[in-house]
Amino acid sequence: MVTAATRVASRFSLQLTFVLFLCVVVVTLFAALLTAPQRDEIGEFYLGNRTLSPLRNGLAMSGDYLSAATLLGSTGLVALTGYDGLLYLAGTTVAWMAVLLVIAEPLHNAGRFTLGDTLALRLTRLRRPVRLAVVLCTLVVTTLYLVAQLIGGVALLTQFTGEPNQATRTLCVVVIGTIVVVYAALGGMPGATFIQVVKAVMLVAGVAVTAVIVLARFHWNVAALLSAAERNSGLGQRFLEPGLRYGRGTTSKLDFFSLELAIVLGLAALPHVVMRLLAPRTNRVLRTSAVWAMGLVGFVCLAAGVVGLGATAVLGRETIVRIDPKGDAAVLLLAQSLGGGVLTAAISCLAFVTLLAVAAGLTLAAATSLAHDLYGEVVRRGRATQTEELGVARMSAAVIGVLAMLLALLPWEISTASLAFLAFAIAASALLPALVYGLFWRLFTAWGALLSLYGGLICSVLLVVFSPVVSSRPTSVYPHADFAWFPLQNPGIVSIPAGFLLGWLGSVLSGRQEDGSYEDFEVRTLIGAGRNGEP
């Protein structure tokens, strides 16, 4: 049997990938330590240097969102499914528009460090239970997404070495996890911002160069590229028409809609994205940063589409499927074909750095929630000193990193995509309803927040447990069992409305309004008066 290792990467490209990765890690670790907070101030650790330019903020925002799944999974999806893969990329781009138009500015004006701060300011009753619920949802979302990144590192290693043994797998997870913990625990937001900016620049440059090489091969004729992709797909016109993957039946169409709904709405409530939206000092910088981020994400997705079509046009769909049925190796195979070992090594190094950067942001968000919301506000009731809270944050980063490493090493057969999509679904079903209601609905109460947070979380998890992700299919975690009474792999189409409904129901049935004035809070969301103690 031909393995991915014999086709995707030569020994030279493997060695060059290791050298490039080591150089990037050493440079970014050194820079993260240099830019780390020099004072025991939680504001600097949580939000970093708030005087960054809109371009650097935009690069960091796009870096937080664009993961290795965009580089490997999305291009592979386009290479295997054509039109349906391009439609998926379009949903990834649209997600930032929802953030920019609806959430960004009100959240920035009303927030401080975390989503828990925003809800505590809005809801004057039951603040501690609400913060505790936010912490739980935040930890579940960030841990799932973080585990997906670590498992993705092993999957990427597989493209070079074949299926790794347990010792190699453990070493890969521990090395990546340890580097991530150092980024988050020592560098804080300044260190995480630096690696995100570096990663975003590398990602934009990497996909742009690859897309340019693909287009140059077809003489800058997009029609010729599409014709070659259609011809080499082995599927004819169906490759460029909807329905190849997501249109086989009503269930498949609903599953795709559910997935896109979770991606578009979940982005606005991902904890590390929320922290990034709170970092700019002024609304003007925030708006320009979000526009930069939206443009960069759109450009990367467009280039990823060109690369995916190029992989099919140059290599042929059957070749990609034979080496990697999921298509994750498509961009590496294309790089090997177009640029040899050098381009393969560059793309591979880029994928590893992308994993590190996203994982660092997730670890920092989880540590911030534990230290600030749980320890500082729930346990210590706001009486913790900044030095004390900062120490807890750094310790929490280590704990989260170790937990994610242990979960990533469990012998469960679940795809990284399923974990990431579940994280998006929970964010959209639990955190987003509480955030939207808290910002825009004057009748929202603490009971509504608790019901939406816990209800959205439980609903999302239960639907996935009783879905084909866990049982009834050859690709399921338990393929020989069958308790999948929920037919969709993505729960968002049910769990997101359920989260909003529970938030409304809890507020209506609680029978009382909050003690604070919504009018004062509304003014704050509009003009930002008193944010972070500023006039």
Side-chain angles (χ1 to χ4, degrees):
M1 179 178 178
V2 179
T3 64
T6 61
R7 292 295 188 90
V8 174
S10 64
R11 184 177 182 83
F12 167 74
S13 63
L14 178 59
Q15 293 173 341
L16 184 57
T17 299
F18 177 76
V19 172
L20 291 176
F21 177 71
L22 187 62
C23 291
V24 172
V25 168
V26 170
V27 170
T28 53
L29 277 176
F30 183 69
L33 293 178
L34 286 180
T35 59
Q38 302 301 315
R39 299 167 295 177
D40 290 339
E41 293 185 2
I42 57 175
E44 187 178 358
F45 184 85
Y46 293 154
L47 298 183
N49 181 3
R50 302 185 61 215
T51 61
L52 293 179
S53 67
L55 175 58
R56 291 172 67 187
N57 268 313
L59 285 167
M61 287 180 182
S62 62
D64 272 316
Y65 180 49
L66 293 170
S67 66
T70 307
L71 180 64
L72 302 178
S74 298
T75 53
L77 190 62
V78 173
L80 298 185
T81 65
Y83 181 93
D84 284 2
L86 294 173
L87 194 61
Y88 169 80
L89 282 174
T92 303
T93 305
V94 168
W96 262 109
M97 297 182 186
V99 173
L100 176 62
L101 297 176
V102 180
I103 296 296
E105 194 166 327
L107 174 65
H108 178 264
N109 288 336
R112 189 172 179 227
F113 300 133
T114 66
L115 177 59
D117 286 331
T118 303
L119 291 180
L121 178 67
R122 168 69 175 86
L123 306 171
T124 56
R125 297 179 59 250
L126 302 177
R127 287 180 175 176
R128 294 173 67 207
V130 169
R131 280 191 186 269
L132 187 60
V134 172
V135 170
L136 178 61
C137 292
T138 297
L139 290 181
V140 173
V141 170
T142 53
T143 302
L144 286 173
Y145 211 170
L146 183 55
V147 171
Q149 302 305 308
L150 296 180
I151 295 177
V154 177
L156 184 59
L157 182 67
T158 302
Q159 306 300 336
F160 291 97
T161 63
E163 188 63 34
N165 57 37
Q166 187 58 39
T168 305
R169 179 188 178 93
T170 302
L171 180 63
C172 178
V173 170
V174 170
V175 168
I176 294 178
T178 302
I179 295 172
V180 166
V181 169
V182 173
Y183 279 137
L186 299 183
M189 181 61 87
T193 298
F194 182 85
I195 181 62
Q196 291 293 6
V197 171
V198 171
K199 165 264 187 96
V201 171
M202 291 177 62
L203 183 60
V204 170
V207 296
V209 169
T210 309
V212 165
I213 294 175
V214 169
L215 291 173
R217 185 183 180 97
F218 292 93
H219 309 289
W220 303 95
N221 189 334
V222 177
L225 171 62
L226 293 173
S227 298
E230 177 186 337
R231 184 170 57 253
N232 290 336
S233 68
L235 300 170
Q237 187 64 30
R238 291 177 54 213
F239 185 74
L240 299 179
E241 294 177 347
L244 187 59
R245 173 167 180 168
Y246 297 111
R248 297 173 184 171
T250 302
T251 300
S252 178
K253 292 178 181 178
L254 288 175
D255 208 0
F256 177 66
F257 178 75
S258 182
L259 169 63
E260 291 292 277
L261 192 66
I263 291 175
V264 171
L265 297 180
L267 171 64
L270 288 177
H272 61 303
V273 173
V274 168
M275 284 187 64
R276 185 66 64 185
L277 293 175
L278 294 172
R281 182 171 295 277
T282 66
N283 285 329
R284 184 186 62 82
V285 173
L286 172 67
R287 287 191 292 267
T288 310
S289 301
V291 171
W292 269 112
M294 187 167 60
L296 291 167
V297 169
F299 174 80
V300 170
C301 289
L302 177 62
V306 172
V307 171
L309 292 172
T312 306
V314 174
L315 302 167
R317 185 176 180 273
E318 290 185 3
T319 301
I320 298 171
V321 171
R322 184 173 64 252
I323 295 176
D324 184 1
K326 295 187 296 182
D328 291 342
V331 65
L332 299 178
L333 290 167
L334 178 65
Q336 183 69 34
S337 176
L338 297 178
V342 174
L343 185 58
T344 305
I347 296 297
S348 304
C349 176
L350 174 57
F352 276 115
V353 172
T354 301
L355 287 170
L356 287 179
V358 174
L362 292 165
T363 304
L364 180 62
T368 299
S369 184
L370 280 174
H372 182 65
D373 288 323
L374 181 60
Y375 181 79
E377 299 296 335
V378 174
V379 176
R380 297 282 285 143
R381 299 175 182 267
R383 295 192 296 267
T385 64
Q386 294 199 47
T387 303
E388 187 180 353
E389 188 173 316
L390 189 58
V392 173
R394 287 180 165 141
M395 187 183 304
S396 298
V399 171
I400 292 296
V402 172
L403 175 63
M405 285 186 261
L406 293 175
L407 291 176
L409 291 172
L410 290 178
W412 56 353
E413 296 297 329
I414 187 168
S415 68
T416 57
S418 296
L419 290 173
F421 294 155
L422 176 57
F424 271 87
I426 293 173
S429 305
L431 296 173
L432 184 66
L435 175 59
V436 171
Y437 282 147
L439 290 175
F440 303 113
W441 188 29
R442 68 175 59 248
L443 300 181
F444 189 51
T445 66
W447 284 109
L450 292 172
L451 207 55
S452 64
L453 288 165
Y454 286 123
L457 171 63
I458 293 171
C459 182
S460 301
V461 173
L462 284 181
L463 289 178
V464 169
V465 168
F466 294 103
S467 76
V469 171
V470 177
S471 69
S472 79
R473 292 185 182 178
T475 56
S476 302
V477 178
Y478 300 106
H480 303 297
D482 187 2
F483 47 86
W485 52 263
F486 184 67
L488 307 181
Q489 298 186 61
N490 301 287
I493 196 172
V494 174
S495 61
I496 296 173
F500 278 94
L501 178 62
L502 289 171
W504 172 82
L505 190 63
S507 299
V508 171
L509 294 181
S510 62
R512 59 174 297 176
Q513 296 187 9
E514 295 299 314
D515 298 330
S517 170
Y518 175 76
E519 286 72 19
D520 294 340
F521 179 82
E522 186 177 31
V523 169
R524 181 168 179 147
T525 62
L526 294 174
I527 65 175
R531 183 183 181 275
N532 286 330
E534 300 167 1

